[in-house]
Amino acid sequence: CNDPNLAARLHNKVKKCPQCGKACAFTLTHCNSCDTNIQDQQITTTDNVFMAFIYGIGSNSKPVFPLKISLRSQSRNLLVFDDILSLSVCHLNCIPTSEWIPDWRYLLNQPDKGLQIITDMHRAAETVLHTQFWGNAEWRKQYVGLAPMNDKSAEGGVSPGGTRRASMQSEWN
């Protein structure tokens, strides 16, 4: 890639654990899988699979993960999709497409903007949760063991002012 900014976005800076081989965040001192000290490991790069999704890249030379996603929601600024390494029946990822966020500290550079990005991401993922999972009576019965909802809030997604969260919480009690 001839564009250094694009090249930087297409890769993650990592430290590879010599013990288990996991690619860990370059800011870590110990592997978050096996706790091996990685402080002196050289910083290398891995493909940034999320950027491949954003730019529509369909394959790479050595795919560690398939560059395909189960897209749940898309807007001009966000993608919501099923996690590739899903650990539950509803494991969502939400990524911004209008901002490159190399790590969470970027959000602290402009706190108001960072909070807005996080709020928008939360709202988008929560809407998918409510409209495509929680609001589906069969899914709720099979995976959560709860009867169908008796209100119409599932049809419209998240209610303004947090009333949706309160109705969900009351159903658990």
Side-chain angles (χ1 to χ4, degrees):
C1 178
N2 294 333
D3 180 345
N5 290 326
L6 179 58
R9 293 176 182 188
L10 293 175
H11 295 95
N12 296 313
K13 292 194 294 187
V14 300
K15 290 182 182 178
K16 188 170 182 179
C17 177
Q19 181 67 32
C20 71
K22 182 179 187 299
C24 300
F26 75 97
T27 56
L28 295 179
T29 59
H30 287 78
C31 175
N32 57 357
S33 180
C34 70
D35 202 36
T36 297
N37 187 322
I38 59 171
Q39 191 166 359
D40 296 329
Q41 291 298 308
Q42 180 181 349
I43 295 175
T44 60
T45 62
T46 60
D47 290 337
N48 184 336
V49 68
F50 292 149
M51 294 308 289
F53 300 156
I54 290 170
Y55 287 116
I57 298 171
S59 65
N60 60 9
S61 59
K62 303 175 281 181
V64 175
F65 296 106
L67 297 181
K68 296 179 181 178
I69 56 174
S70 176
L71 188 61
R72 296 287 178 172
S73 177
Q74 179 178 5
S75 71
R76 181 178 181 98
N77 298 320
L78 298 169
L79 292 176
V80 181
F81 54 93
D82 294 326
D83 191 288
I84 295 171
L85 301 174
S86 181
L87 299 175
S88 69
V89 295
C90 178
H91 188 158
L92 301 172
N93 288 327
C94 181
I95 58 174
T97 59
S98 56
E99 296 283 333
W100 179 54
I101 302 174
D103 68 59
W104 72 272
R105 297 171 299 177
Y106 171 90
L107 300 169
L108 303 177
N109 291 333
Q110 297 177 30
D112 291 340
K113 183 178 180 181
L115 179 59
Q116 187 61 55
I117 291 169
I118 294 296
T119 300
D120 292 345
M121 291 170 62
H122 182 268
R123 185 175 294 125
E126 190 174 44
T127 297
V128 167
L129 169 68
H130 295 303
T131 59
Q132 298 180 29
F133 293 92
W134 194 257
N136 180 308
E138 290 179 22
W139 183 89
R140 285 166 45 90
K141 185 175 180 182
Q142 180 174 349
Y143 294 109
V144 187
L146 295 177
M149 294 169 52
N150 59 8
D151 66 351
K152 295 187 178 193
S153 60
E155 297 170 12
V158 183
S159 301
T163 57
R164 179 71 176 128
R165 186 180 337 274
S167 74
M168 280 180 58
Q169 191 170 19
S170 67
E171 290 176 23
W172 285 98
N173 297 333

